[in-house]
Amino acid sequence: MIKLKKLTDVAKDKSVEGRKSLVALLTDVFLEAKDTRGEQISLLFGDIVLKVLGQLEESARVNLAKRVCHEDDAPHELMVKLGKDEFTVAEPVLQNSPVLTPSDLAEIAASGSADHLGAIAGRSNLNKAVTSVLVNRGDATVLTKVTENMGAEIADASFQNLVERARTNESIQEALIDRPDLPDDAGRALLPMLTEELSKKVNSLGADNKLTKLIAENADTEAAAKTRKLEEAREQTKALIEKVVSGDTNIDEAVTLFARADRTAELGMVLAKVSELHPAAVSQLLFSKSDKPLIILCKANGVSDEAYKDILTMRARRIPIGGLELNNAIQRYAKMTEDGARRSLETLKESGEAFGLKLAKSPAEPEDGAPKKNIAFAVSR
């Protein structure tokens, strides 16, 4: 009764101090009636305070916000008003008030200062609509805070925005690597931009971490892709060599392709196939000290002067060949005739030894039930 009489007296005081005292007394009544107050009391309290709120000093509004920010049935309109106020007033309300709805928070975030956004970003529960506004408008501090908040739901599109902003901000990167709800696409985009230190941290987080799983999956995918690529290259090489052997493709096409790509094994295979020699022995000829057997082998199979230059260039990458020696090798090849080379090749096969080389026999798969031998060049020692 004494407090009600005092309220009546204070309400008559129109000064700033009088309004401050009135709000303080009304707040006392509101809080003390916690267990008995109903919706009408809350509405009445809110209605009166809202009418004089604009006349209160900032310190009085701060005190009011701190006193009512935790109340479940605080007047909704009043809490929204306080949440939009100066940050010193709004902070406790934005951080704590259970009265503010997601729509209220999204509206305040849409026009509030970076400090307002930061206060909202730390709330224990935030839905995707609110976090979307925070991510779209927030600075790096806000983005880090909302990402670190495991009670904040983040939409896939917002995760993509966070990853893009993380490109130049390590604190956002670090916050993202701990998110169990990080979408796979966002995680894959994040991995290449992580600092070396954060990459090490990810590797130490264990198999349950989202990024750790993605790293393992990426490794498996890359390994599978490399395997497929190697298999495709192997099949393409096999098909090209078969076309050369059958005469459907000019040998120069294969020689130029393999020599320029430094694919010595494949080059040895194609020369061996067309000569019916062992690939391993032919591969040795590609880099033997003497080029005479190689000249015979290539010329006998119709390798052009231009294609042979590619072979010489490949040889020069592996063994020291001076400019003069290279020119001499080109001239020696040009002087050799195909007929002469074919005769020399047959002689080599029949005699078993020439030009410091000996012919070695290699086992081949049986044909028509009979064992078959292949003759191959091998460097003599």
Side-chain angles (χ1 to χ4, degrees):
M1 181 69 68
I2 295 176
K3 188 164 287 188
L4 290 177
K5 184 179 184 305
K6 190 174 181 180
L7 273 172
T8 302
D9 294 339
V10 170
K12 295 176 182 179
D13 187 350
K14 305 298 184 182
S15 68
V16 172
E17 283 300 318
R19 293 313 186 204
K20 179 178 177 180
S21 298
L22 175 63
V23 170
L25 282 171
L26 283 171
T27 305
D28 288 341
V29 172
F30 175 73
L31 294 176
E32 289 172 7
K34 183 175 181 64
D35 297 330
T36 59
R37 68 187 178 220
E39 183 179 354
Q40 290 302 318
I41 292 179
S42 178
L43 291 174
L44 181 61
F45 167 65
D47 185 54
I48 296 174
V49 173
L50 280 169
K51 287 179 180 178
V52 299
L53 191 64
Q55 302 172 40
L56 296 179
E57 297 174 338
E58 183 177 325
S59 60
R61 301 199 308 277
V62 170
N63 186 56
L64 170 64
K66 288 180 177 179
R67 295 188 70 190
V68 298
C69 66
H70 293 285
E71 300 302 311
D72 293 335
D73 55 352
H76 176 260
E77 187 177 353
L78 174 62
M79 301 314 289
V80 171
K81 187 78 172 179
L82 292 173
K84 293 179 178 180
D85 206 328
E86 297 293 329
F87 180 65
T88 53
V89 179
E91 183 178 17
V93 174
L94 295 179
Q95 289 177 337
N96 304 296
S97 178
V99 175
L100 295 179
T101 67
S103 296
D104 297 330
L105 294 170
E107 180 185 350
I108 294 170
S111 58
S113 68
D115 288 333
H116 285 71
L117 270 61
I120 296 172
R123 287 178 67 96
S124 58
N125 291 292
L126 293 172
N127 70 7
K128 294 178 180 179
V130 178
T131 58
S132 293
V133 180
L134 295 177
V135 171
N136 288 336
R137 294 198 65 237
D139 57 16
T141 301
V142 171
L143 299 190
T144 300
K145 191 171 184 178
V146 74
T147 307
E148 290 174 341
N149 184 355
M150 294 304 167
E153 297 178 353
I154 301 177
D156 288 0
S158 294
F159 268 121
Q160 293 291 351
N161 288 342
L162 285 168
V163 169
E164 186 59 33
R165 294 286 294 276
R167 191 177 300 278
T168 56
N169 191 286
E170 187 174 344
S171 64
I172 302 176
Q173 293 179 20
E174 187 168 10
L176 282 168
I177 66 177
D178 291 322
R179 292 290 307 200
D181 53 345
L182 183 69
D184 288 354
D185 288 347
R188 293 189 183 97
L190 175 65
L191 283 173
M193 65 179 69
L194 292 180
T195 64
E196 183 178 353
E197 183 178 347
L198 289 180
S199 295
K200 291 179 180 178
K201 180 179 179 180
V202 170
N203 290 328
S204 69
L205 291 177
D208 292 335
N209 178 267
K210 172 60 72 73
L211 289 180
T212 303
K213 292 178 180 178
L214 288 178
I215 290 173
E217 290 174 6
N218 286 348
D220 291 343
T221 301
E222 288 176 6
K226 287 180 180 178
T227 300
R228 286 196 302 272
K229 191 173 181 179
L230 287 172
E231 186 60 34
E232 289 172 0
R234 194 176 293 116
E235 291 299 321
Q236 290 172 358
T237 298
K238 182 180 177 181
L240 178 57
I241 292 174
E242 288 177 352
K243 287 183 178 180
V244 172
V245 173
S246 66
D248 293 334
T249 297
N250 188 290
I251 191 171
D252 278 2
E253 182 178 334
V255 168
T256 298
L257 172 66
F258 297 145
R260 290 181 179 178
D262 205 30
R263 294 165 62 180
T264 57
E266 288 87 345
L267 181 57
M269 286 174 60
V270 71
L271 291 174
K273 280 284 187 180
V274 294
S275 305
E276 297 182 348
L277 297 172
H278 196 286
V282 173
S283 293
Q284 292 182 56
L285 289 179
L286 294 174
F287 302 105
S288 63
K289 186 173 182 180
S290 172
D291 64 354
K292 292 180 181 179
L294 183 60
I295 289 175
I296 292 173
L297 187 63
C298 291
K299 185 66 81 165
N301 288 290
V303 176
S304 70
D305 293 0
E306 288 301 315
Y308 188 71
K309 288 179 183 178
D310 290 325
I311 296 178
L312 290 177
T313 302
M314 183 189 72
R315 275 172 58 84
R317 289 195 289 265
R318 304 291 184 88
I319 57 178
I321 300 177
L324 181 60
E325 187 178 353
L326 195 62
N327 287 331
N328 290 337
I330 293 172
Q331 291 176 13
R332 286 196 300 272
Y333 191 77
K335 289 178 181 178
M336 174 71 73
T337 64
E338 287 190 25
D339 288 340
R342 279 194 285 267
R343 287 194 298 271
S344 296
L345 181 58
E346 291 304 318
T347 300
L348 283 172
K349 290 180 178 180
E350 292 173 2
S351 67
E353 185 170 346
F355 302 119
L357 300 172
K358 63 183 179 180
L359 294 174
K361 293 185 176 181
S362 302
E365 294 181 2
E367 184 177 326
D368 299 328
K372 181 180 179 181
K373 300 289 184 179
N374 271 349
I375 298 178
F377 284 124
V379 179
S380 62
R381 297 183 179 179

